[in-house]
Amino acid sequence: MLEKNPKNQEKETTDSFWERFQFLLTITDNTVGDDEEKTHIVCQRYFNIGGFNIESIRSVEFKDTLDYIVGRIQDELVSKSRVYEWYTTNFPLKMNGFCDESHNLTREDIQALSSRDYVGLVKLSDGTVVNKSYIEYKKDDVDDSKYADVANMKSYDVFFKFSFLMDDKALYERIWDATV
């Protein structure tokens, strides 16, 4: 009589989601109190590696691949932070006064179009007149109090940690500053 493979049977515990390998991205906040830190899971995934060779964890390719993955995560977080800052900053927002690629813009034209110092009608070197206008946010519209603690943070008060685990043991970890 053939026995069923235990992996094909439904389990009633959370172990049914457990696989041998996992990666874990956490953020830790050391600013919550004296000698206390608070760690939050940003992302955690369990997975299986078919045909896994145990010797591969000692290879340069293993380290290089995980360095590359962490680099991509860091780049993505930086990009998302820039987008967030762009939309939440208290600078005036340019509403019109843009040019398309058909204009042969000089360095002075680009300066006049991109600088907040030039407002209203701006004449470009080819004679084109562009009307630049901005929306100004009132100070009351932006609640800076919720971001006040950020200015007082020191390096590594808040940090990210990426971990690659096998059988719940860390094979690779990388920590980087999240206060930047």
Side-chain angles (χ1 to χ4, degrees):
M1 181 166 160
L2 294 173
E3 292 183 23
K4 288 186 177 178
N5 182 346
K7 287 205 174 222
N8 292 338
Q9 294 178 350
E10 288 186 7
K11 294 183 182 179
E12 295 181 15
T13 66
T14 57
D15 289 345
S16 63
F17 297 107
W18 188 88
E19 291 287 347
R20 186 173 189 191
F21 300 96
Q22 67 175 300
F23 73 81
L24 183 63
L25 179 62
T26 59
I27 188 164
T28 302
D29 184 357
N30 290 324
T31 64
V32 290
D34 298 333
D35 299 328
E36 183 182 341
E37 62 182 40
K38 192 165 192 142
T39 300
H40 302 280
I41 294 175
V42 175
C43 185
Q44 179 178 26
R45 294 293 182 267
Y46 292 92
F47 56 95
N48 192 12
I49 301 175
F52 174 70
N53 177 356
I54 191 72
E55 294 301 316
S56 65
I57 63 174
R58 294 189 175 108
S59 70
V60 173
E61 290 85 5
F62 175 79
K63 182 194 176 304
D64 288 347
T65 300
L66 288 169
D67 285 344
Y68 173 76
I69 290 168
V70 170
R72 294 280 311 263
I73 292 169
Q74 290 172 323
D75 291 346
E76 192 64 24
L77 289 170
V78 167
S79 174
K80 299 286 191 253
S81 296
R82 286 185 178 141
V83 169
Y84 174 79
E85 284 182 349
W86 172 260
Y87 285 108
T88 60
T89 190
N90 199 15
F91 292 125
L93 179 63
K94 185 175 176 182
M95 294 306 295
N96 58 23
F98 301 95
C99 286
D100 59 28
E101 294 177 18
S102 66
H103 290 83
N104 292 325
L105 300 175
T106 64
R107 182 180 209 110
E108 291 78 21
D109 292 341
I110 294 169
Q111 175 67 27
L113 289 171
S114 59
S115 173
R116 291 188 187 98
D117 296 336
Y118 300 97
V119 180
L121 298 176
V122 176
K123 188 172 184 179
L124 303 179
S125 60
D126 67 358
T128 305
V129 177
V130 177
N131 186 12
K132 287 178 50 181
S133 65
Y134 291 84
I135 288 181
E136 294 279 345
Y137 294 103
K138 293 184 238 167
K139 190 65 177 161
D140 300 339
D141 292 345
V142 180
D143 180 14
D144 289 333
S145 65
K146 62 183 174 182
Y147 305 111
D149 60 336
V150 175
N152 300 325
M153 283 189 178
K154 294 181 220 115
S155 186
Y156 285 91
D157 276 350
V158 180
F159 61 89
F160 287 106
K161 180 165 100 173
F162 177 89
S163 304
F164 179 87
L165 298 103
M166 181 177 79
D167 300 328
D168 292 327
K169 293 182 180 107
L171 300 179
Y172 175 96
E173 288 186 322
R174 175 77 94 42
I175 296 172
W176 67 94
D177 189 8
T179 60
V180 214

